[in-house]
Amino acid sequence: MSEKGDFFERVYRVARLIPEGRVTSYGAIARCIGDPRSARMVGWALNGCPEDVPAHRVVNRNGTLTGKHHFFGGMARALQEEGIKVEDDQIVNFQSVFWDPPKINLEE
DNA sequence: TGAGTGACTGTAA
DNA sequence: CTTACAGCCACTC
């Protein structure tokens, strides 16, 4: 076990668990999968995320849409479509829409 | 092999 | 949650 590709799969899995109208941070996902120091890799992993992964719901710890420049299409608009208020590439009331990812089965 | 870069985070002031 | 500094891991040249 412990393959390199597992890291990506875990990121995708957690990202898919994000409910609508909610967002999470890269560090939260990184910690969820057991690598809180690889937060940067989470963002890099989402760079090649499939379409079924709501990458637009993943932002940095400040609630800023840091990935907007890399996301295909209007990331801020997509968030607002789900009920998330965004202003100047920054999530409004970020703490209220923040979603803490549960610990998934790392061996599954 | 080593330096540079990046969708980051935590701590300090 | 502002700004500044350092640590972090993987990728590219």
Side-chain angles (χ1 to χ4, degrees), chain A residues 1-69:
Chain A
M1 303 299 282
S2 304
E3 293 182 12
K4 220 160 42 166
D6 255 6
F7 183 86
F8 287 72
E9 261 186 77
R10 291 177 188 177
V11 175
Y12 301 152
R13 195 175 305 162
V14 177
R16 278 188 277 246
L17 294 176
I18 305 176
E20 293 185 9
R22 285 290 179 80
V23 292
T24 189
S25 60
Y26 302 94
I29 297 177
R31 185 187 305 186
C32 175
I33 64 180
D35 267 331
R37 274 138 12 203
S38 300
R40 299 184 97 137
M41 292 294 86
V42 176
W44 181 79
L46 268 76
N47 188 11
C49 71
E51 292 185 9
D52 58 310
V53 178
H56 60 269
R57 292 183 190 150
V58 185
V59 295
N60 67 347
R61 73 171 177 96
N62 277 336
T64 313
L65 279 58
T66 47
K68 185 182 180 242
H69 194 71

